[in-house]
Amino acid sequence: MKEIVRTKPELCTGCNRCVRECPMETANITYRDEEGSIKVKVDCEKCIACGLCITACKHGAREYLDDTDRFLEDLAAGVPISLIAAPSIRTNIPDYKHLFAHLKNSGVNKIYDAGLGADICVWAHVRYIEQGGGNPHMITQPCPAIVAYCEKYRHDLLKNLSPVHSPTACVAIYMRDYRGVTDEIAALTPCIAKTGEFAGTQLTAYNVTFTGLLERLKEKGVEFPEEEAGFDHSESGLGSMFPMPGGLKENIEYFMGMDYRVSKAEGYSVYEALDEYAASPEEVLPGLFDVLSCAKGCNVGPASISGRNTFEIDKTMDDNRKSAVRDHSREYYKSVYQTYDDAFELSRFMREYHPEDMQPMDITEEDIRSAFSLMDKDDEAKQTVDCDACGSGTCYKMARKIALGVNIPENCMFEIVEKVKREHTASLNSLEQFETIWNRVESGTVIIDAETQEILNVNPSAVNLYGGGESSMLHKQCNNVFCPAQECPILKLNQEIDRSERKFIKADGTVIPILKSVARIQYNGRPALLESFIDISYIKEVEEQGRMLAVAEHASHAKSAFLANMSHEMRTPMNAIIGMTNLGLAADSDERMKYCLTKIGEASKHLLGVINDVLDMSKIESGKFELSPTDFDFRAMVQQALSINSVRMGEKRQNLKLSIDDAVPERLYGDEQRLAQVITNLLSNAVKFTPEEGSICVTIRLVREEDGLCTIQAEVADTGIGISPEQQEKLFVSFQQAESSMTRKYGGTGLGLSISKNIIEMMGGSIWVKSEIGKGAAFSFDVDLQRGGEFDADEQLEEDAPLDIEGIFTGNRILLAEDVEINREIVLALLEPTGIRIDCAANGKEAVSIFASAPEKYDLIFMDIQMPEMDGFEATRNIRALDAHAAGTVPIIAMTANIFKEDVERSIESGMNGHIGKPLDFSEVVSTLRKWFGSRGA
């Protein structure tokens, strides 16, 4: 069969919607591609082109092939062409007469209504039935997908299929045999399966679909002329009866009377109805069974215009039906039929069917059992899970498809879950082994960031040797502790492994000799160094040089073995955690989970970028701020920036409208992260300063393009409070907002617009604002970006391993002062397993009030810094000033995104006892609580 439906492999996610919805058992083949991803492809020999998989696919991975491009090319080349238009064009393309005018201006000679063919089709059925021809139980077949279904899979129904041609074919016959049309004939339809019908009957040369034609004309920038053009046949004679649309059923009942029993089925469930028809005894079958693969009398199909109101379609069809009955009597139609009898030869409108030799594979029960074994389903309970995630409906049908070779065991969700359980258990065991080694090994061990050279993690032996506590080692530059005044053999000399004697500076300044081994590793997805060392001071005191060298050599070998084992033990749980995350993202049985995890991942990356605004500003002022251009998906970047603010917009019930000019290239070359940062900043401000139920409009267009350099202009407009001319002068100045009262009412650092201005100017563009008080604001910018190429991206999510903290803080109570609701929810959720009781305050003023009402009630206070009404510093000073013993002793810990040294110092100066930075390190939170609960208890 001619290829009509196919898969775009790059967009296929293996979600199995197409497999699940397709009425054919073997038309979709599931497989693993070269990269190991699950994909589904179409077997065009088994496909009937019903189009259900196209409407089922949510990822744009299925497409259909029609003859639109060839039609337009031949028309432009001067090939003489006439056109047949499906009646559903009236509801799909209301301005079809202007479209007809364009087509005629382009060279189309004649345009006929397929409704004319429907008249002839009804006439032919009436005469055929009256003459007693064929099977008394007849299936009418205007739909080529149903013909393909019977010719491929239901040969037993071919005897029941009506021999009358489809309406489109009837028009083509009328044009050639009775009107003398010698042009090539094209059909404009909502049906993709017509391509197969035309290839078989050879009556029509082109299947031009509604959506295919409109998309091509839009791509070419075609505008329809003002004049109109209609059909080229009389609407008072031929073609006058089809104002009774809805398929053959209504027309046959009208002409033959209600005594002649007619049943009807349409939509994608029609194939189940046909199977039931084949299994039914003849005495219960209707005289005529009218069937359509599409819905609403072919008004709704895979190539129809989407988004139309079905009630409007019903009304249009019903109005036409009533008009036909009202305007013309039965005697009128009899006279028209007599005209047909005189003009037409009935046999000319008949066709034949040709069953295709589709030999099914001989699947035995032994084959089924073997397939079950491949899915690890060796007992009845496992064989009847029937989750439908694989797309087969039941486990038995899935086993059949594996035996048939059109599905794979890896697509079974049960098998995936069992595999994940096994890997999860293995990862937990490996993690336990790693923690045992890390905590109990006698050698000091540290992990160092290979880029910043900061100490990221230390084990207890390293802390004991250093002598200053874990926190005093973390985040130090490694050359301030190890190897002072020496070049790093790994980072500077590019060695893979370093085993050497080095110096170690303890917390009190004492320098001791150590024997150290260093190797490269990956830590939390970043390049790092794993350093293991022992104190060899005692070796230096050994009198016998030979014994000293032997001991040192033995220690070096021992440390090398430990280093290799440590690297393995770290990689194993990391690999399992990453693998489990990827499986969760690929789990097609819960697509909502995949969608949410992906969005959370995207938002988290950008949120961390926003947290670094202050660092960005510092780089800008020092002249060290640089762009990192790459190829990126522009529309995906914009959607990602919008999703970051979607929760807040939902809370404020704001309306968002996004408009991206189709001329904007899909891929561009530039700094994606910084451009997203600008859009996020502008949109965040719009959300913040726009009232509830207000509107925000994001408009992006291509201003010009020269030699691949595109000037993109973006505008973020809102219906918010507006900005006065005086206030606008301060907008793009660092650390300033429109006016001082804004900080208390709306929050914010005032850096966003200043950073955005610098980013845009570094990209060769400019940024500006138009606004009036009370009439909203419109921020605009333009940038010059090169067209981008194509690339492949592989993103992974990582999770931290769980800690055993169940119930450890039962009986303790803390006060959490945090103005952002989701941050409060995160702390509550993180600490819930510990059994701790948490009261919340939405700002500093509320925190002071809650604590003052019961000072002895709380064991600790977590205090945010930036809060409306009253910030954390002032709240801390007010609490310390209360006339209560607990006010002076209760530990107050800053929990804030302000993480610079001066922020920590200011927190301590205001009366706080400690500082925890955001994003929160859960182990740091638990460690802090343990420290202060123990201290207070003492």
Side-chain angles (χ1 to χ4, degrees):
M1 180 179 178
K2 183 176 181 180
E3 184 182 31
I4 298 176
V5 179
R6 67 183 179 188
T7 299
K8 297 179 181 177
E10 69 278 7
L11 297 180
C12 180
T13 65
C15 71
N16 289 295
R17 283 183 177 270
C18 53
V19 177
R20 182 161 50 249
E21 299 296 334
C22 179
M24 307 301 115
E25 182 179 44
T26 56
N28 292 276
I29 300 176
T30 304
Y31 67 99
R32 278 194 182 275
D33 65 11
E34 295 178 353
E35 297 179 355
S37 300
I38 294 178
K39 306 286 185 179
V40 184
K41 61 184 177 182
V42 181
D43 185 340
C44 63
E45 296 299 324
K46 307 291 179 59
C47 176
I48 64 171
C50 66
L52 178 54
C53 62
I54 297 174
T55 57
C57 181
K58 303 301 182 184
H59 308 99
R62 283 291 167 93
E63 64 178 347
Y64 66 85
L65 305 177
D66 63 10
D67 304 313
T68 301
D69 289 330
R70 184 165 58 88
F71 164 73
L72 293 174
E73 290 169 1
D74 289 355
L75 194 62
V79 174
I81 300 176
S82 287
L83 182 72
I84 301 171
S88 53
I89 195 172
R90 293 171 172 83
T91 60
N92 278 263
I93 311 176
D95 59 343
Y96 69 93
K97 291 186 178 182
H98 297 97
L99 171 61
F100 284 176
H102 167 74
L103 293 174
K104 287 201 170 186
N105 292 340
S106 300
V108 171
N109 292 326
K110 299 289 184 180
I111 300 178
Y112 283 79
D113 189 349
L116 161 63
D119 290 349
I120 299 174
C121 185
V122 174
W123 164 78
H125 276 95
V126 171
R127 293 299 185 243
Y128 183 73
I129 294 169
E130 288 175 345
Q131 295 173 12
N135 196 310
H137 305 291
M138 186 164 53
I139 301 173
T140 58
Q141 47 75 35
C143 178
I146 292 173
V147 172
Y149 178 66
C150 294
E151 289 184 332
K152 289 176 183 288
Y153 298 99
R154 297 308 306 241
H155 296 170
D156 54 333
L157 292 178
L158 289 177
K159 66 181 185 300
N160 297 90
L161 280 186
S162 164
V164 180
H165 270 294
S166 70
T168 303
C170 287
V171 180
I173 295 168
Y174 170 75
M175 292 168 67
R176 293 211 183 278
D177 291 4
Y178 299 98
R179 301 302 299 173
V181 175
T182 60
D183 300 344
E184 294 285 359
I185 297 177
L188 181 56
T189 75
C191 176
I192 65 173
K194 284 289 185 186
T195 303
E197 176 188 330
F198 298 163
T201 64
Q202 297 295 307
L203 291 170
T204 310
Y206 314 89
N207 182 34
V208 182
T209 59
F210 290 160
T211 52
L213 179 60
L214 292 184
E215 286 174 2
R216 298 303 183 279
L217 295 180
K218 183 177 181 180
E219 290 171 2
K220 296 176 182 293
V222 172
E223 294 185 2
F224 295 161
E226 294 184 2
E227 66 269 17
E228 296 182 350
F231 294 103
D232 290 300
H233 59 276
S234 172
E235 295 188 0
S236 62
L238 292 173
S240 65
M241 291 179 290
F242 195 73
M244 291 175 57
L248 214 57
K249 177 180 183 296
E250 291 79 357
N251 292 277
I252 292 294
E253 288 176 343
Y254 182 78
F255 291 111
M256 299 197 65
M258 298 302 293
D259 291 339
Y260 186 78
R261 190 157 66 92
V262 183
S263 295
K264 181 177 179 179
E266 64 177 36
Y268 295 122
S269 61
V270 70
Y271 303 99
E272 295 179 4
L274 286 168
D275 292 341
E276 185 177 2
Y277 181 97
S280 301
E282 284 196 3
E283 57 268 21
V284 303
L285 295 178
L288 186 145
F289 186 28
D290 182 32
V291 290
L292 289 174
S293 181
C294 295
K296 302 291 181 184
C298 286
N299 277 277
V300 178
S304 298
I305 307 303
S306 60
R308 292 169 299 130
N309 188 301
T310 57
F311 292 101
E312 290 182 3
I313 295 173
D314 287 341
K315 183 179 186 304
T316 300
M317 294 169 63
D318 191 56
D319 288 347
N320 288 339
R321 187 180 299 114
K322 291 177 180 178
S323 174
V325 175
R326 181 181 64 249
D327 295 343
H328 298 292
S329 66
R330 191 179 302 275
E331 292 301 320
Y332 167 78
Y333 290 117
K334 286 182 179 180
S335 67
V336 174
Y337 269 32
Q338 184 60 51
T339 302
Y340 288 7
D341 292 337
D342 296 338
F344 299 148
E345 182 182 345
L346 180 61
S347 62
R348 186 65 190 88
F349 296 96
M350 299 296 173
R351 65 171 294 181
E352 295 181 353
Y353 301 102
H354 305 283
E356 297 185 25
D357 186 13
M358 300 267 294
Q359 293 295 332
M361 290 181 59
D362 187 15
I363 303 300
T364 66
E365 286 301 314
E366 180 61 31
D367 296 327
I368 300 295
R369 285 193 293 273
S370 298
F372 273 130
S373 295
L374 293 174
M375 292 188 288
D376 194 23
K377 291 174 175 281
D378 296 321
D379 58 68
E380 184 176 355
K382 293 180 180 180
Q383 294 172 4
T384 55
V385 176
D386 296 348
C387 67
D388 200 26
C390 62
S392 298
T394 66
C395 294
Y396 185 85
K397 289 182 180 179
M398 175 63 169
R400 267 188 59 84
K401 290 192 175 183
I402 293 174
L404 288 168
V406 297
N407 215 326
I408 54 178
E410 296 94 319
N411 207 22
C412 173
M413 182 53 60
F414 176 85
E415 196 272 341
I416 292 174
V417 171
E418 291 299 312
K419 182 178 179 181
V420 169
K421 288 180 180 178
R422 293 191 296 269
E423 292 183 354
H424 180 60
T425 300
S427 70
L428 290 178
N429 293 336
S430 298
L431 183 60
E432 183 178 352
Q433 295 171 18
F434 165 72
E435 289 180 343
T436 299
I437 294 172
W438 180 263
N439 292 323
R440 297 185 182 181
V441 70
E442 293 297 327
S443 301
T445 307
V446 300
I447 298 174
I448 297 171
D449 190 299
E451 294 181 3
T452 65
Q453 295 185 248
E454 289 186 6
I455 298 174
L456 302 177
N457 206 349
V458 295
N459 76 337
S461 294
V463 174
N464 290 336
L465 184 60
Y466 184 69
E470 178 180 332
S471 60
S472 61
M473 287 191 73
L474 292 177
H475 306 302
K476 278 184 174 292
Q477 292 292 120
C478 64
N479 57 4
N480 291 333
V481 179
F482 306 101
C483 323
Q486 290 179 291
E487 285 190 329
C488 177
I490 303 294
L491 301 179
K492 298 297 183 182
L493 305 180
N494 294 319
Q495 293 180 199
E496 287 299 318
I497 297 178
D498 174 40
R499 301 185 186 93
S500 57
E501 180 182 326
R502 299 287 179 178
K503 295 185 182 299
F504 180 85
I505 304 176
K506 302 179 68 173
D508 60 4
T510 303
V511 179
I512 63 173
I514 58 172
L515 190 64
K516 186 177 70 166
S517 296
V518 186
R520 298 177 186 270
I521 64 168
Q522 288 289 316
Y523 182 72
N524 288 339
R526 290 175 56 83
L529 301 179
L530 178 67
E531 301 202 6
S532 176
F533 55 91
I534 59 172
D535 180 2
I536 58 173
S537 297
Y538 72 95
I539 297 177
K540 296 296 184 181
E541 299 172 0
V542 177
E543 294 180 355
E544 298 178 9
Q545 186 68 25
R547 183 172 179 272
M548 180 188 69
L549 293 175
V551 171
E553 183 178 357
H554 174 75
S556 178
H557 288 309
K559 294 313 126 188
S560 296
F562 164 75
L563 177 62
N565 187 50
M566 176 68 77
S567 178
H568 171 76
E569 294 300 326
M570 290 184 67
R571 289 174 182 270
T572 299
M574 289 178 186
N575 181 65
I577 293 169
I578 293 171
M580 289 168 60
T581 302
N582 288 335
L583 285 173
L585 286 172
D588 48 20
S589 62
D590 193 350
E591 288 190 359
R592 185 62 180 172
M593 177 183 71
K594 176 181 176 180
Y595 174 84
C596 293
L597 287 174
T598 303
K599 290 299 181 181
I600 291 170
E602 293 172 350
S604 298
K605 293 174 186 176
H606 281 276
L607 179 60
L608 290 175
V610 173
I611 293 174
N612 286 323
D613 273 352
V614 176
L615 289 175
D616 289 343
M617 200 66 239
S618 176
K619 290 179 182 179
I620 290 170
E621 293 180 348
S622 63
K624 297 180 180 180
F625 190 85
E626 296 179 354
L627 299 177
S628 300
T630 60
D631 278 355
F632 67 99
D633 186 324
F634 181 83
R635 286 168 174 78
M637 178 275 293
V638 174
Q639 290 291 348
Q640 180 176 314
L642 297 182
S643 68
I644 295 173
N645 290 280
S646 60
V647 173
R648 184 57 179 151
M649 281 189 282
E651 292 174 350
K652 298 182 74 173
R653 302 186 300 281
Q654 293 170 338
N655 298 313
L656 173 66
K657 180 180 179 182
L658 171 64
S659 176
I660 302 180
D661 184 2
D662 290 340
V664 175
E666 183 176 348
R667 304 202 62 78
L668 292 168
Y669 180 81
D671 193 325
E672 177 186 10
Q673 180 181 353
R674 296 304 181 186
L675 197 55
Q677 183 177 348
V678 173
I679 295 175
T680 301
N681 281 340
L682 297 182
L683 190 59
S684 176
N685 284 341
V687 173
K688 183 188 301 182
F689 296 107
T690 299
E692 293 189 352
E693 299 184 351
S695 297
I696 298 171
C697 181
V698 180
T699 305
I700 301 174
R701 66 187 185 93
L702 178 67
V703 178
R704 60 182 171 273
E705 180 178 359
E706 295 180 6
D707 298 327
L709 183 64
C710 303
T711 299
I712 308 296
Q713 186 175 101
E715 179 187 84
V716 179
D718 61 61
T719 59
I721 61 176
I723 311 168
S724 70
E726 296 78 11
Q727 295 166 351
Q728 292 177 31
E729 295 178 0
K730 304 177 182 179
L731 283 177
F732 300 101
V733 180
S734 303
F735 303 99
Q736 291 195 25
Q737 292 185 318
E739 58 179 337
S740 59
S741 63
M742 294 296 181
T743 301
R744 182 171 300 276
K745 186 173 182 180
Y746 293 100
T749 65
L751 289 176
L753 290 177
S754 177
I755 293 173
S756 297
K757 179 176 183 291
N758 280 275
I759 291 172
I760 293 302
E761 290 178 349
M762 289 185 70
M763 292 183 178
S766 58
I767 186 169
W768 65 93
V769 63
K770 294 181 180 179
S771 179
E772 293 182 29
I773 290 293
K775 295 184 179 181
F779 284 83
S780 303
F781 68 85
D782 55 29
V783 290
D784 292 333
L785 301 171
Q786 287 286 346
R787 273 187 177 267
E790 303 216 351
F791 81 112
D792 293 325
D794 182 24
E795 298 183 355
Q796 294 183 328
L797 298 174
E798 296 185 357
E799 298 178 3
D800 291 330
L803 298 174
D804 185 12
I805 44 96
E806 189 69 31
I808 62 173
F809 298 140
T810 301
N812 293 105
R813 182 189 291 267
I814 66 174
L815 175 61
L816 171 63
E818 170 64 66
D819 63 311
V820 180
E821 182 180 0
I822 191 170
N823 288 345
R824 297 197 296 270
E825 292 177 2
I826 290 171
V827 175
L828 292 171
L830 285 174
L831 294 179
E832 182 179 5
T834 69
I836 198 169
R837 299 179 68 182
I838 304 175
D839 294 335
C840 296
N843 54 61
K845 185 177 181 180
E846 188 176 336
V848 174
S849 176
I850 293 174
F851 182 85
S853 65
E856 302 297 332
K857 185 178 179 179
Y858 298 101
D859 302 304
L860 182 141
I861 300 174
F862 280 139
M863 182 72 73
D864 191 14
I865 298 301
Q866 294 278 23
M867 292 185 292
E869 299 288 335
M870 181 185 292
D871 64 30
F873 300 126
E874 186 178 351
T876 299
R877 288 191 290 268
N878 287 351
I879 289 174
R880 294 302 189 204
L882 292 173
D883 185 18
H885 175 73
T889 61
V890 63
I892 302 178
I893 309 298
M895 182 179 282
T896 175
N898 295 4
I899 59 173
F900 292 102
K901 179 180 179 182
E902 54 267 31
D903 297 314
V904 177
E905 292 174 350
R906 188 178 176 190
S907 299
I908 302 302
E909 290 172 359
S910 70
M912 298 185 192
N913 302 90
H915 184 283
I916 296 177
K918 297 177 184 174
L920 296 178
D921 182 337
F922 181 54
S923 62
E924 182 182 6
V925 175
V926 173
S927 176
T928 299
L929 291 173
R930 282 176 170 158
K931 170 186 174 181
W932 288 102
F933 287 167
S935 172
R936 241 191 146 209

